[in-house]
Amino acid sequence: MIAEKMKAFVKNSSAIRAMFEEGKRQAALYGAENVFDFSLGNPNVPAPEGVKNAILSILDEEDPLMVHGYMSNSGYEDVREAIADSLNQRYSTSYTDQNIVMTVGAAGGMNVVFKTLLNPGDEVIAFAPFFGEYRAYVGNYDGILKVVPPDTETFQPNLSAFEGLITEKTKAVIVNTPNNPTGVVYSEETLKALSESLERKEQEIGHPIYLISDEPYRELVYGDAKVSWIPSLYPNTIVGYSYSKSLSLPGERIGYLVLPDSLDGSEEIISAANVATRILGYVNAPSLFQRVVARCLDENVDVEYYDRNREALYEGLKKAGLSCIKPEGAFYLFVKSPIEDEKLFCEMAKKHHLLLVAGSSFACPGYVRLAYCVSHEMILRSLPHFEELMKEIAGTADSSER
Ligand code: PLP
């Protein structure tokens, strides 16, 4: 009954649903405290108190017709202006409300961008490993996603493999830093080299290549890691932002796009994005939460909590004999599977009540992703189970050598 194109999407999403079901099944059998679910990127640090205060005062102070009404498709002018001003202060830019489109999270924003830009058959390039939903976002508009193989030494974009994938059909490139699933923050040096390469290729193929910077984790960084403002490096950059992680509001579906004047065809793109948000059926981003985020531009979640988790899990896994690059942002660890088949490793982990996601979901087999947006206590309780799992793997290897 369903569309052919949907069949593949349903098949992919059933893997995630199966993991969710497995968590519930194990919790019922062994007790929730004995199941270690590292599979979901759902923030466990609550939204800052400022969010609740903003909601209450908006409901108290503002005209309900205004709070809950339709507005311009791209969002309230005053909210967009406040966001533009805040970006201008942080990044020495000169955006206005015209450069901002409020979106239904980062996912909604990317769908607006691809609806706006893609003709059927246009190619979009992503660097592995990447957030698996990009396949659907590009496929929704009959674009073709081309994958740059990973640089597993650094997990920075693999630029030497990149240029060879650009063709006449290349319309856009996606970057995501801090990255899901690796937690790696792309260096300014790499991003400059990427920009130079894109500029050279634009000349060669004779049309713009848009860089889509998907930034839901921009605020989640540790130590002195610095997240570059990519539009300052490459003029044809569109930024997609989200408050899902930075304010722990994933269910509220709120974010924005930055469409700078420096984009080739900026006026046309901005007005098309305004139409795209409506005809995709979002109409506009959630009204109350537009007003909330405008009052919370300087609020942040407790990044220290994630940092403590990062240290404990990284050190604990290392002690158990697993290896991974130490993340500088987001809330994920991307761990090298100790056996070649990482899906089998996930199955073995399940028996120790450890729920992990296979790297093939991120176009990077041989690795597994752990989301550490979980309670600190759960991480501490899980570590002996990783040690047991690794003992089992060492035992299996020993017996197969005999
Ligand atoms: N992009 C990346 C890299 C993500 O990890 C996620 C969610 O986990 C999204 C986009 C979608 O975020 P949102 O909830 O803002 O739609």
Side-chain angles (χ1 to χ4, degrees):
M1 293 299 199
I2 65 168
E4 285 308 313
K5 224 171 124 180
M6 268 311 286
K7 288 183 183 161
F9 292 137
V10 171
K11 194 161 160 243
N12 281 345
S13 80
S14 65
I16 296 162
R17 209 169 45 237
M19 187 65 82
F20 183 67
E21 293 302 326
E22 177 67 16
K24 280 206 309 200
R25 190 186 72 81
Q26 290 206 7
L29 278 177
Y30 311 111
E33 70 287 4
N34 297 315
V35 181
F36 311 102
D37 189 348
F38 291 100
S39 66
L40 283 182
N42 197 11
N44 74 315
V45 169
E49 194 63 14
V51 167
K52 180 173 146 195
N53 295 338
I55 297 170
L56 295 176
S57 50
I58 289 165
L59 295 181
D60 250 3
E61 292 160 18
E62 296 191 20
D63 173 1
L65 288 178
M66 171 92 170
V67 174
H68 304 299
Y70 287 125
M71 81 300 297
S72 148
N73 300 152
S74 50
Y76 286 113
E77 277 77 8
D78 60 331
V79 170
R80 292 187 283 136
E81 201 176 294
I83 289 172
D85 287 348
S86 155
L87 292 171
N88 294 341
Q89 268 182 24
R90 285 178 73 180
Y91 302 113
S92 309
T93 46
S94 48
Y95 303 129
T96 70
D97 60 315
Q98 294 299 310
N99 300 113
I100 309 293
V101 174
M102 301 306 294
T103 62
V104 180
M110 293 192 79
N111 275 275
V112 166
V113 169
F114 292 130
K115 177 81 178 166
T116 300
L117 294 181
L118 296 185
N119 286 309
D122 279 351
E123 292 171 357
V124 177
I125 299 179
F127 294 94
F130 58 82
F131 179 53
E133 303 273 296
Y134 293 159
R135 287 192 189 285
Y137 302 165
V138 171
N140 284 344
Y141 312 101
D142 296 324
I144 295 165
L145 190 77
K146 293 181 86 181
V147 178
V148 184
D151 170 352
T152 52
E153 282 295 304
T154 62
F155 286 111
Q156 296 281 326
N158 180 349
L159 296 185
S160 49
F162 167 65
E163 282 205 11
L165 288 180
I166 297 182
T167 73
E168 295 272 296
K169 285 272 182 196
T170 306
K171 193 68 180 274
V173 174
I174 307 172
V175 284
N176 165 227
T177 169
N179 182 264
N180 175 10
T182 63
V184 166
V185 175
Y186 294 173
S187 71
E188 178 113 346
E189 194 191 346
T190 308
L191 291 167
K192 274 190 183 151
L194 171 64
S195 309
E196 282 162 17
S197 161
L198 281 167
E199 272 167 14
R200 206 169 41 245
K201 284 289 177 181
E202 280 186 327
Q203 291 290 324
E204 235 174 84
I205 63 177
H207 65 74
I209 303 173
Y210 296 97
L211 186 57
I212 321 288
S213 180
D214 179 30
E215 304 188 1
Y217 303 98
R218 191 199 300 152
E219 261 61 74
L220 304 190
V221 281
Y222 312 110
D224 37 348
K226 185 176 163 286
V227 182
S228 305
W229 183 247
I230 303 179
S232 301
L233 302 175
Y234 182 68
N236 269 332
T237 302
I238 295 172
V239 173
Y241 186 76
S242 163
Y243 293 94
S244 294
K245 322 285 168 160
S246 62
L247 290 181
S248 288
L249 295 173
E252 303 299 350
R253 315 304 306 134
I254 185 78
Y256 61 82
L257 290 172
V258 186
L259 301 161
D261 291 338
S262 59
L263 294 174
D264 276 317
S266 67
E267 270 185 38
E268 203 185 7
I269 290 176
I270 291 169
S271 66
N274 274 276
V275 176
T277 188
R278 189 178 74 239
I279 65 177
L280 283 171
Y282 305 133
V283 182
N284 54 254
S287 160
L288 171 61
F289 272 82
Q290 287 191 43
R291 309 213 64 74
V292 169
V293 297
R295 291 186 181 216
C296 296
L297 293 172
D298 297 319
E299 298 277 350
N300 279 308
V301 291
D302 180 8
V303 175
E304 290 293 307
Y305 193 95
Y306 294 134
D307 196 10
R308 217 156 62 94
N309 280 0
R310 174 181 77 123
E311 291 292 345
L313 191 59
Y314 176 76
E315 292 302 330
L317 294 181
K318 210 163 71 174
K319 190 160 159 268
L322 286 155
S323 71
C324 80
I325 198 154
K326 191 168 184 182
E328 292 189 294
F331 40 48
Y332 306 103
L333 281 176
F334 204 50
V335 178
K336 187 161 176 42
S337 170
I339 53 177
E340 203 181 323
D341 180 352
E342 96 280 5
K343 288 185 179 158
L344 177 61
F345 178 58
C346 288
E347 285 305 310
M348 293 176 81
K350 246 191 228 170
K351 297 202 182 99
H352 293 263
H353 310 169
L354 299 161
L355 306 186
L356 322 174
V357 184
S360 22
S361 306
F362 308 96
C364 192
Y367 289 79
V368 293
R369 188 194 77 174
L370 282 76
Y372 57 82
C373 44
V374 295
S375 84
H376 192 67
E377 292 65 36
M378 184 189 112
I379 290 180
L380 300 182
R381 283 199 311 274
S382 74
L383 294 178
H385 295 257
F386 280 105
E387 299 206 352
E388 285 301 315
L389 169 64
M390 290 302 281
K391 271 191 211 146
E392 184 192 335
I393 285 173
T396 319
D398 282 353
S399 58
S400 70
E401 275 162 21
R402 264 181 234 135

